[in-house]
Amino acid sequence: MKHVTKVHYHSVSKNLDVYFDDDSKAVFSCEFLRVHSPSAEVQGHGSGPMKLVLNKQSVGIKKIVPVGHYALRLDFDDGHNSGLFSWNYFAKLQEQQTTLWNEYLERVSENTKNKDSVPIKFIP
C-alpha cells in the first residue's frame, strides 16, 4: 500500500501536489478532487451511481486537515468538507486520473446536451 508523504497546495493554480512513498507524485486540480470526493454526498449512497457535481471549475481548498496517519480532510471553499481522502483513495485517483477525468467530462457533456430536453407526452 502506498502512503502519502507530503502534500503541497498551490493557491493560484488551485492544484494539489501529492507525494507518495514510492517517489511518485500526482498533481490534482481542486475541481478534480471536488467532483471525485469520497463523500457519500458525491459517491452516492449504497450501490447507486456517483453523483454528477457541476460548476466546480473555480473551487479551491481552504484548509487541509490530517486525519490520523491515513487520510486528509479537504475543506473546499464551496463549503464541502465531508469525505476523507485516504492514502488508498489518493493512490486510486493517481492510477485512474485520466480515465476518471475523461468519464467525468463525458458525463458533463451528456448532461449539457440533455439539460434543455423536455419529454413531450402526447395524449390522443
Side-chain angles (χ1 to χ4, degrees):
M1 179 176 90
K2 289 167 72 161
H3 292 271
V4 173
T5 57
K6 178 172 106 173
V7 295
H8 181 78
Y9 177 58
H10 303 271
S11 59
V12 174
S13 65
K14 296 186 179 182
N15 286 327
L16 183 69
D17 297 340
V18 179
Y19 298 85
F20 295 92
D21 61 0
D22 65 354
D23 294 326
S24 66
K25 171 185 159 187
V27 178
F28 301 114
S29 71
C30 289
E31 179 184 11
F32 177 84
L33 293 170
R34 176 62 179 86
V35 302
H36 290 92
S37 169
S39 70
E41 174 188 335
V42 173
Q43 295 295 321
H45 298 276
S47 62
M50 192 172 159
K51 302 283 195 281
L52 180 60
V53 180
L54 299 170
N55 303 317
K56 298 302 176 184
Q57 298 87 343
S58 61
V59 75
I61 296 173
K62 288 190 319 186
K63 193 170 164 185
I64 299 171
V65 181
V67 178
H69 295 287
Y70 67 93
L72 297 175
R73 189 187 80 221
L74 304 179
D75 291 358
F76 293 94
D77 60 12
D78 67 350
H80 180 75
N81 68 355
S82 60
L84 299 180
F85 288 81
S86 69
W87 301 165
N88 282 342
Y89 192 65
F90 274 125
K92 175 188 169 189
L93 292 178
Q94 179 190 35
E95 281 177 21
Q96 301 175 11
Q97 186 171 11
T98 302
T99 302
L100 289 170
W101 186 244
N102 289 337
E103 288 172 357
Y104 172 74
L105 293 177
E106 181 63 30
R107 290 180 70 206
V108 170
S109 176
E110 286 298 316
N111 181 71
T112 303
K113 285 182 210 172
N114 296 330
K115 75 176 185 171
D116 293 325
S117 71
V118 177
I120 298 173
K121 183 176 181 181
F122 290 100
I123 301 174

